[in-house]
Amino acid sequence: MLSAETRQKLKSVSTATLSTALFKRGLRNQFIQDVSPLQFKGENMVGEAFTLRYIPAREDLNTIEVFRDRSHPQRKAVEECPPGAVMVFDSRKDARAASAGAILVSRLMMRGVAGVVTDGGFRDSPDIAALAIPAYHHRPSAPTNLTHHQALDINVPVGCGDVAVFPGDVVVGDGEGVIVIPAHLADEIATEAVEMTAFEDFVQGEVLKGRSILGLYPPTDPQTQVDYAAWRQATGR
């Protein structure tokens, strides 16, 4: 279960910093490929993964009438995704048809879902970009999902942008993209990333003053540690 403290920490760090923290633990493939925000709102998306898996559509099973079924997996997933979670669509990196549109994303927003991610595309993308919910996709896609996708499994392990996503994994999105943190590592990764962010902010300030990165980044010069400690005291970081 994602704690409020860890959620808040993850809202304050970048996917780049998280990627480095995960790399230190041997995890090299956690950044979802070819996915970007429709419009970054300035605050990180953070939540536990709730997934929907699409398979290639079969025409006799994917007629428009399937949406009349209240138990249709796409509709069911939208109504079951927990508040605070991130809805992750496995669209097989196929943006020829939409994973969802503005009405379904609006419903997720109104239910308190923390964000939506697909390695395919969203339709009504200008409308989704204007909503108060973080949304990430590969590119806009106007055709209905039925054209190429058949919703099948809810909240099972999926692949999204070449990343394995298990239900309950922690999903973080910023202005660059989306990264997936294994659930059991979320607390320690968040804590380490906050510390890394403070040090990187210090380093950036020093570089902008004209200081060389040698001995600074990484901090192999003993004076760097002295200067960093003084900076933290002065800034309250």
Side-chain angles (χ1 to χ4, degrees):
M1 182 73 175
L2 182 63
S3 70
E5 180 182 4
T6 294
R7 185 186 293 268
Q8 196 58 42
K9 287 178 180 178
L10 292 172
K11 282 181 176 288
S12 69
V13 298
S14 70
T15 57
T17 299
L18 292 169
S19 180
T20 300
L22 289 163
F23 177 78
K24 290 177 181 178
R25 291 160 175 80
L27 294 165
R28 301 168 180 242
N29 188 46
Q30 299 304 118
F31 188 74
I32 295 179
Q33 297 299 305
D34 300 319
V35 162
S36 57
L38 276 73
Q39 183 175 341
F40 184 57
K41 305 294 197 298
E43 181 178 81
N44 284 6
M45 171 187 74
V46 180
E48 292 170 292
F50 183 91
T51 66
L52 176 65
R53 184 171 77 95
Y54 286 121
I55 64 171
R58 203 177 82 183
E59 289 79 1
D60 62 327
L61 299 176
N62 252 36
T63 65
I64 196 70
E65 284 75 22
V66 300
F67 284 149
R68 295 180 180 275
D69 181 359
R70 295 169 70 98
S71 65
H72 183 272
Q74 187 202 51
R75 270 39 180 182
K76 194 169 185 285
V78 167
E79 292 296 334
E80 291 182 358
C81 185
V86 172
M87 180 91 167
V88 179
F89 297 85
D90 171 6
S91 295
R92 310 177 322 282
K93 300 195 296 182
D94 187 348
R96 291 178 296 164
S99 303
I103 291 174
L104 297 189
V105 176
S106 295
R107 176 59 179 158
L108 290 165
M109 178 185 71
M110 295 305 294
R111 295 191 57 254
V113 170
V116 290
V117 181
T118 179
D119 58 358
F122 289 122
R123 68 194 310 202
D124 314 314
S125 55
D127 296 328
I128 293 174
L131 293 173
I133 182 173
Y136 294 78
H137 71 172
H138 176 50
R139 62 170 172 81
S141 185
T144 176
N145 73 290
L146 299 173
T147 310
H148 290 290
H149 303 308
Q150 180 171 333
L152 195 67
D153 293 320
I154 298 173
N155 217 28
V156 297
V158 300
C160 186
D162 296 324
V163 175
V165 183
F166 290 81
D169 281 350
V170 178
V171 183
V172 181
D174 64 3
E176 283 195 296
V178 179
I179 198 160
V180 179
I181 306 171
H184 69 284
L185 292 175
D187 292 342
E188 65 181 80
I189 290 287
T191 298
E192 181 174 329
V194 168
E195 175 62 38
M196 288 173 63
T197 298
F199 179 69
E200 289 165 356
D201 288 348
F202 160 73
V203 168
Q204 178 75 349
E206 293 297 295
V207 169
L208 290 174
K209 293 175 185 176
R211 185 168 174 177
S212 168
I213 61 169
L214 300 179
L216 174 67
Y217 189 66
T220 56
D221 185 341
Q223 185 60 42
T224 297
Q225 297 293 355
V226 173
D227 294 342
Y228 178 49
W231 177 86
R232 293 199 71 170
Q233 185 173 16
T235 61
R237 298 284 295 275

